[in-house]
Amino acid sequence: MEGKKRPPSSLEDTQSNRKRCRISTTTKEDAVAHGFVDDMVFEILTWVAAKSLMRFKCVSKAWNSLILHDFNFVKLHIARSRDRPLATRLLYEIGLKTPHIPQHYLNATRRVTYNQPPLELFPLQLVGSRNYFDYGEIFICSNHCNGLVCLYNGKDSQGFLYNITTGEIKALPFSLGYTRIGDRPELYLGYDPATERYKLLRDRIYYKKRPCIKILTLGTNNSWRRLCENSPGRLNNLSSGRTFVNGVLYWANPKFNSITYFNLTEEKFGTLSPPERSRVSEIQSALWGKLIVYPRDQPENCNLVVYDEVNKVFTKFDSDPDLMKEKFVVLEAENIEKRRENEKYILATSSLTSTYLVFAYHFWPRYVSRFVENIIPLSFIIDV
């Protein structure tokens, strides 16, 4: 009859079922194959260098989402970077005394004094687009920790967290509250390995006539807490240096032959008594991943002493003399000349090398730290 569909025959039923089954099977196979490809891509990319990953974000939306938003991917990439020697680097904050490097310093392969072996040249590389900083508008206001550093904008009293591996910069969720021109806040950045959180310290306040330090755990409720027990005086008066090693912040005070430390996990201050009015060797501490000090009146590579964290004692640092060979540190002249006149500080990195570094007269290291390439998005640290 017109207008009615003829019921299919049993043969047509079988063919239709086979077709549907074939379509369903193909879809499942495609899904399995697609999932297998995704797993392979995930696995391969976790071994790729951070610099390459930053370029690979442009491959597709899926890759961009994986690299920037997948927490499991980020954690696995960092873990595997620790096993790649080239992924462990040194971060230098360097003060520049003059805008130019004399040619004879670039070609320096021997000492001015006689009877000393030539020095190997050791190049430093600028970290990226944010190479230069001054102390007028934007400047570095914290120590380095795991390749992260805090910046401060004097115009709006805003602090920022900056990842030197990825070049990402993100505003801290609070104002530092400085409004007068010339105010220079100091933050102290550390990482708590027990909670896998970053923490910030600020200089002391007074609470019920007791000096207290303020502390903030990033990624929580963004409220500062008071630490009054064993709180020292102003942290920025202890010394010009601060070093972060293995979950602990250290401040050396050679004037009083002491080292103040803050354990990020226990959130407690303490004091160490190094021998012979020692100074902290920031470069050697970064190179070896241990707190290393040297006598105040001797060159930084002589009679090194290492702190034994387990037994809480200082012991003589025994190292292979071949690993302590001196190298002359240089930056390319054309890069330094690109800076503006008022920009006096620079961030640079280098590969990890067990050596003693000699810096030219025109610049000196302010802070040196060790880090593993860290692609973790700053939103994972601040907004979580």
Side-chain angles (χ1 to χ4, degrees):
M1 291 179 55
E2 189 177 351
K4 291 186 177 181
K5 294 183 179 179
R6 181 175 59 85
S9 66
S10 59
L11 177 61
E12 288 174 326
D13 277 338
T14 302
Q15 290 174 339
S16 179
N17 288 336
R18 284 179 179 175
K19 184 177 181 181
R20 285 196 299 269
C21 183
R22 186 166 59 249
I23 292 174
S24 177
T25 303
T26 303
T27 302
K28 290 180 180 179
E29 289 175 350
D30 286 345
V32 172
H34 184 69
F36 178 74
V37 171
D38 285 346
D39 291 342
M40 288 290 290
V41 170
F42 182 100
E43 183 72 16
I44 292 171
L45 290 183
T46 58
W47 294 98
V48 173
K51 186 176 181 180
S52 298
L53 280 181
M54 293 303 101
R55 296 198 304 267
F56 291 171
K57 292 186 300 181
C58 302
V59 170
S60 67
K61 290 182 179 179
W63 282 33
N64 183 281
S65 178
L66 176 67
I67 295 168
L68 293 183
H69 303 292
D70 191 317
F71 185 67
N72 291 327
F73 174 82
V74 170
K75 287 194 69 174
L76 185 56
H77 180 269
I78 294 171
R80 288 179 169 172
S81 293
R82 293 191 180 102
D83 296 328
R84 292 192 297 110
L86 292 179
T88 301
R89 303 182 64 79
L90 297 178
L91 172 62
Y92 303 84
E93 182 182 335
I94 296 173
L96 301 175
K97 296 180 181 179
T98 62
H100 302 286
I101 299 181
Q103 189 62 37
H104 67 277
Y105 269 89
L106 286 176
N107 297 329
T109 56
R110 63 184 179 85
R111 297 279 200 158
V112 176
T113 56
Y114 297 101
N115 300 322
Q116 290 183 301
L119 302 182
E120 180 183 346
L121 292 182
F122 184 77
L124 301 184
Q125 302 140 17
L126 302 183
V127 300
S129 58
R130 292 182 176 271
N131 299 324
Y132 300 105
F133 303 89
D134 59 48
Y135 269 63
E137 186 173 315
I138 298 249
F139 61 86
I140 301 164
C141 67
S142 78
N143 59 295
H144 321 141
C145 176
N146 295 352
L148 305 178
V149 64
C150 293
L151 307 178
Y152 177 72
N153 187 337
K155 282 187 174 181
D156 54 12
S157 301
Q158 180 63 57
F160 298 87
L161 192 63
Y162 177 47
N163 185 329
I164 66 102
T165 301
T166 63
E168 182 185 6
I169 184 169
K170 186 174 178 63
L172 293 170
F174 55 84
S175 172
L176 291 176
Y178 292 83
T179 57
R180 294 178 302 175
I181 297 176
D183 282 337
R184 291 163 56 172
E186 288 280 346
L187 297 175
Y188 305 93
L189 178 64
Y191 177 73
D192 178 2
T195 62
E196 297 184 333
R197 296 280 193 179
Y198 286 86
K199 297 179 179 180
L200 284 172
L201 297 182
R202 291 184 69 175
D203 246 333
R204 73 175 182 177
I205 59 172
Y206 277 93
Y207 177 71
K208 296 182 178 180
K209 297 183 179 180
R210 292 186 299 168
C212 301
I213 298 295
K214 296 175 71 174
I215 184 171
L216 170 69
T217 301
L218 292 175
T220 54
N221 58 5
N222 297 321
S223 61
W224 293 88
R225 297 176 283 118
R226 290 187 298 267
L227 295 177
C228 299
E229 184 179 356
N230 296 325
S231 176
R234 293 183 64 85
L235 294 174
N236 62 2
N237 285 346
L238 294 177
S239 74
S240 60
R242 63 264 181 159
T243 303
F244 174 80
V245 181
N246 299 330
V248 180
L249 280 163
Y250 296 95
W251 297 263
N253 193 339
K255 181 179 180 180
F256 297 101
N257 191 33
S258 65
I259 294 177
T260 298
Y261 70 87
F262 181 77
N263 186 300
L264 272 296
T265 298
E266 299 174 358
E267 294 192 352
K268 292 183 179 180
F269 285 96
T271 303
L272 305 177
S273 298
E276 302 181 43
R277 300 182 65 183
S278 301
R279 293 179 180 272
V280 174
S281 175
E282 292 185 48
I283 293 178
Q284 296 301 333
S285 296
L287 287 170
W288 297 95
K290 305 174 182 179
L291 179 66
I292 297 177
V293 301
Y294 66 100
R296 183 178 183 182
D297 299 323
Q298 296 188 26
E300 195 170 346
N301 62 333
C302 295
N303 299 320
L304 298 178
V305 179
V306 61
Y307 181 60
D308 183 343
E309 296 176 347
V310 176
N311 299 308
K312 310 298 182 184
V313 295
F314 284 93
T315 60
K316 183 179 180 181
F317 181 61
D318 295 320
S319 62
D320 187 339
D322 290 336
L323 298 180
M324 301 294 291
K325 292 181 179 179
E326 296 179 327
K327 293 186 178 182
F328 193 88
V329 179
V330 293
L331 283 165
E332 290 107 356
E334 60 269 21
N335 284 335
I336 287 186
E337 290 171 358
K338 289 179 181 178
R339 73 185 180 97
R340 292 179 304 198
E341 185 177 352
N342 63 333
E343 293 172 323
K344 299 178 180 178
Y345 298 94
I346 185 173
L347 287 176
T349 65
S350 72
S351 59
L352 185 66
T353 178
S354 299
T355 186
Y356 177 67
L357 305 180
V358 179
F359 284 80
Y361 83 97
H362 57 278
F363 60 84
W364 73 100
R366 300 182 73 241
Y367 305 114
V368 182
S369 63
R370 176 181 184 147
F371 73 102
V372 175
E373 288 183 342
N374 184 350
I375 68 165
I376 186 167
L378 298 183
S379 58
F380 286 9
I381 298 174
I382 295 176
D383 299 335
V384 172

